[in-house]
Amino acid sequence: MTATVTRIEYTLPVNDPVAEDQVQLSRDDLWTGLVAKAADPRPYVPAITECTVVSEGPQGLVREIARAGDRFREVVVFDIGHRVSFRRADEREVWTIDNVIDEDATGALVLTFSGEFEREFGASRLAAMRTAMAETAARTLAVIRAGAAA
């Protein structure tokens, strides 16, 4: 029997070429920010209220987080300079969420958040998840941009 898999994805441009007053982020800025988000996601994801890094190395880390009253462990894997993958696999949930730095057809930087969940969701829950993903991606860029401006 094959498990049901639900996939969602959201991509946004990193820099607005007409926003002259906006700090323009580089790939390195994005990478530094995504690694910081892995270690302490609270500024990027307000629903996460606690995070403890259990172990870490150059290829990733293991963290325990509290989100919306749920406590769980995630394995975070770094594809250096390109992708940070967050994986939860326990008796309650199995998912992978990727934060990917890439370029669009014109060579402009984009940030893509995607999630793959080993379960099915109703239409309203799926819509709420897509909205939350878009908000988290935008907030992630804003926090990274603020850090780069400091």
Side-chain angles (χ1 to χ4, degrees):
M1 183 166 148
T2 303
T4 299
V5 174
T6 300
R7 183 164 170 72
I8 59 175
E9 183 175 290
Y10 181 77
T11 299
L12 73 161
V14 171
N15 296 306
D16 181 348
V18 297
E20 295 176 13
D21 61 335
Q22 184 183 70
V23 172
Q24 300 293 297
L25 296 174
S26 68
R27 181 179 283 273
D28 287 342
D29 293 331
L30 283 174
W31 181 250
T32 299
L34 292 180
V35 171
K37 179 179 177 239
D40 184 7
R42 294 171 302 158
Y44 307 83
V45 186
I48 296 177
T49 56
E50 295 177 42
C51 178
T52 303
V53 174
V54 177
S55 65
E56 61 185 308
Q59 299 302 314
L61 56 91
V62 176
R63 67 186 193 178
E64 291 180 353
I65 66 172
R67 178 184 178 133
D70 189 17
R71 291 183 171 281
F72 54 92
R73 185 174 282 218
E74 286 182 321
V75 175
V76 182
V77 178
F78 301 148
D79 178 359
I80 309 279
H82 178 65
R83 174 190 326 260
V84 178
S85 296
F86 306 87
R87 177 147 174 83
R88 175 181 178 178
D90 59 32
E91 64 281 352
R92 294 171 291 166
E93 295 279 348
V94 176
W95 75 54
T96 301
I97 296 174
D98 291 322
N99 296 181
V100 179
I101 303 168
D102 211 345
E103 296 173 2
D104 67 13
T106 69
L109 283 173
V110 294
L111 182 62
T112 298
F113 279 31
S114 63
E116 194 168 280
F117 306 86
E118 293 187 13
R119 64 184 271 203
E120 199 168 334
F121 297 95
S124 62
R125 175 69 177 123
L126 198 53
M129 289 170 65
R130 285 188 174 112
T131 297
M133 182 174 278
E135 290 170 352
T136 300
R139 182 174 179 92
T140 295
L141 275 183
V143 171
I144 293 171
R145 195 174 313 284

